[in-house]
Amino acid sequence: MGTAYTPGLTVSANTVILKTRRLPIKGEVLVQEGEVVQPDTVVARALLPGILQTVRVAQTLGIEPKQIHSVLKVKEGDTVEKDQIIAETKGFLGLFRGIAKSPVPGTVELISDVTGHVGVRQPPTVIDVNAYVQGRVVKILPQEGAVVETQGALIQGIFGVGGERRGTLRMLVSRPDETLTAQHIPDDVAGQILVGGAAVEADAITRAAERGAVGIVAGGIRDTDLIRYLGRDIGVAITGSEEIPLSIILTEGFGAIQMATRTFRLLKSLEGKTASINGATQIRAGVIRPEIIVPLEDPSHLPESPPAREAQTLNIGSTVRIIREPYFGRLGTVVELPPELMEIESGTHARVLKAELDDGTIAVVPRANVEIIVEE
């Protein structure tokens, strides 16, 4: 029997989730280990230094650089506003007065009598990282962030766009094979995550965004509709940084694909609850999956430590999802695990599997291009 360890998509009503919340640069951690946090709790903060703007004072006023101190109205460390006069020459009998202004608000950081320049540092940009989910801090990452543990429902999708958002789950279709259209979208969807069935149409996305929805979850989407929403083509390597009004999470793949019954039922059971979602997807090295997390309402009931999850084993009979064209997003059942290496389209040799798809097709794909569907 062939064996492989393959990442899988989790669809679980109750599991322990660890979320690492890390700053992009060194900063200050604002929480303590053991502290209970809410999704909007700031766990770490960093200050990104502002841009240093150079004011050519000597050149502007027509003086020698060494004369700069005699005309300055500020000193190092002073705070200035945009267009504030920082240097001035009186001129002859009060006429032909020369002035030099700060082009930006900030702090006077340097004064040079060699160049005749004054450097004004713009205010720093505050970078906050929040907890994202309700839970408990279980580990501090000094100067970087923290690890937050939560327990609740976790649904991973196969592909998504858009970043982290939070809202109330709302079912808008009654069946997992139903397509979410613009007619399904009511007016009162502000702050909500809308759940469809087999697919979501471009007009439905537009209408939902206009009415303030923060997310859409559906089985699939036509690639042309996704391009229409984003305004550009998009690869499937890495997403999540798109500047779009709502995030989209696909649970099955591209096209109109019925949402898995267990996924649909779980989402239906969670309707009305607050969820944290993230459409960020990375399919290659360092796999990141779009996700929907609905924590327990009382985080104080979390266990002291998360249960260990066993590595998923690929066996005959395993349910897998293919993440390689031309079967991207298709579900199948493993029917054969050939032990020998086989040549694939690229000309290289790899270990493959044979899977029977729902229409009876036998697909031969590299084992690295499937993921086990994890049911808990």
Side-chain angles (χ1 to χ4, degrees):
M1 178 182 67
T3 300
Y5 297 100
T6 308
L9 294 183
T10 299
V11 177
S12 175
N14 188 6
T15 189
V16 174
I17 306 152
L18 295 175
K19 301 304 297 182
T20 299
R21 311 298 291 162
R22 181 178 272 115
L23 288 164
I25 59 175
K26 297 291 185 182
E28 179 185 7
V29 179
L30 304 178
V31 293
Q32 297 180 347
E33 190 170 316
E35 183 176 341
V36 173
V37 293
Q38 298 302 316
D40 56 357
T41 300
V42 177
V43 300
R45 174 173 292 160
L47 297 178
L48 185 64
I51 297 172
L52 183 65
Q53 295 283 353
T54 299
V55 185
R56 301 177 185 275
V57 172
Q59 182 178 332
T60 300
L61 300 182
I63 62 175
E64 293 295 323
K66 62 184 179 181
Q67 297 177 299
I68 188 172
H69 290 285
S70 65
V71 298
L72 285 176
K73 302 175 73 66
V74 295
K75 61 182 183 299
E76 289 185 6
D78 283 356
T79 300
V80 296
E81 301 297 328
K82 185 178 185 301
D83 293 328
Q84 179 178 330
I85 296 174
I86 61 173
E88 179 181 10
T89 57
K90 298 299 183 181
F92 180 68
L93 299 177
L95 301 176
F96 309 111
R97 182 173 66 114
I99 59 173
K101 297 180 180 181
S102 174
V104 294
T107 303
V108 177
E109 186 169 297
L110 65 88
I111 297 171
S112 173
D113 56 10
V114 175
T115 63
H117 295 169
V118 172
V120 179
R121 178 77 66 180
Q122 292 181 254
T125 300
V126 178
I127 302 174
D128 284 343
V129 172
N130 61 24
Y132 175 54
V133 294
Q134 173 182 277
R136 185 177 62 220
V137 177
V138 294
K139 184 179 180 180
I140 297 298
L141 308 174
Q143 295 184 297
E144 294 184 10
V147 178
V148 178
E149 174 188 295
T150 192
Q151 183 172 348
L154 170 63
I155 299 170
Q156 291 181 316
I158 189 170
F159 184 77
V161 292
E164 296 176 356
R165 289 181 166 91
R166 185 166 176 258
T168 304
L169 286 171
R170 182 173 180 178
M171 303 293 296
L172 292 183
V173 298
S174 57
R175 304 187 316 275
D177 61 350
E178 191 173 352
T179 295
L180 186 63
T181 68
Q183 286 68 40
H184 287 98
I185 312 295
D187 291 331
D188 59 337
V189 296
Q192 296 179 354
I193 300 164
L194 312 179
V195 181
V200 56
E201 295 183 347
D203 289 343
I205 300 172
T206 300
R207 182 177 171 89
E210 290 173 348
R211 281 154 180 75
V214 298
I216 290 179
V217 182
I221 190 173
R222 289 192 295 269
D223 56 354
T224 52
D225 284 347
L226 182 60
I227 292 170
R228 177 178 165 187
Y229 172 56
L230 296 175
R232 60 183 174 85
D233 201 353
I234 189 169
V236 295
I238 184 166
T239 70
S241 59
E242 300 81 13
E243 294 183 3
I244 50 180
L246 57 76
S247 297
I248 299 175
I249 295 176
L250 308 178
T251 62
E252 314 304 323
F254 288 98
I257 309 175
Q258 176 177 321
M259 184 181 290
T261 301
R262 65 184 177 280
T263 304
F264 188 82
R265 288 176 177 171
L266 177 54
L267 287 167
K268 189 174 181 65
S269 72
L270 297 169
E271 184 172 18
K273 295 185 180 298
T274 300
S276 296
I277 65 170
N278 187 1
T281 307
Q282 182 168 307
I283 291 178
R284 295 176 181 172
V287 173
I288 300 172
R289 289 302 183 201
E291 63 187 9
I292 305 151
I293 299 175
V294 182
L296 294 175
E297 294 182 359
D298 186 356
S300 64
H301 292 165
L302 285 171
E304 287 304 314
S305 59
R309 175 182 289 179
E310 297 182 359
Q312 298 300 313
T313 305
L314 190 63
N315 295 309
I316 303 293
S318 294
T319 300
V320 296
R321 190 189 311 272
I322 302 173
I323 56 172
R324 177 189 178 93
E325 294 292 354
Y327 305 109
F328 185 88
R330 298 283 297 275
L331 295 178
T333 301
V334 178
V335 294
E336 188 177 342
L337 290 165
E340 69 277 5
L341 297 178
M342 294 182 64
E343 185 174 346
I344 58 178
E345 294 91 336
S346 64
T348 60
H349 289 76
R351 209 170 289 279
V352 303
L353 61 80
K354 296 182 180 180
E356 182 177 357
L357 308 184
D358 52 7
D359 61 359
T361 300
I362 301 298
V364 180
V365 294
R367 298 186 191 185
N369 294 136
V370 304
E371 48 193 11
I372 300 171
I373 304 298
V374 183
E375 298 185 60
E376 299 184 41

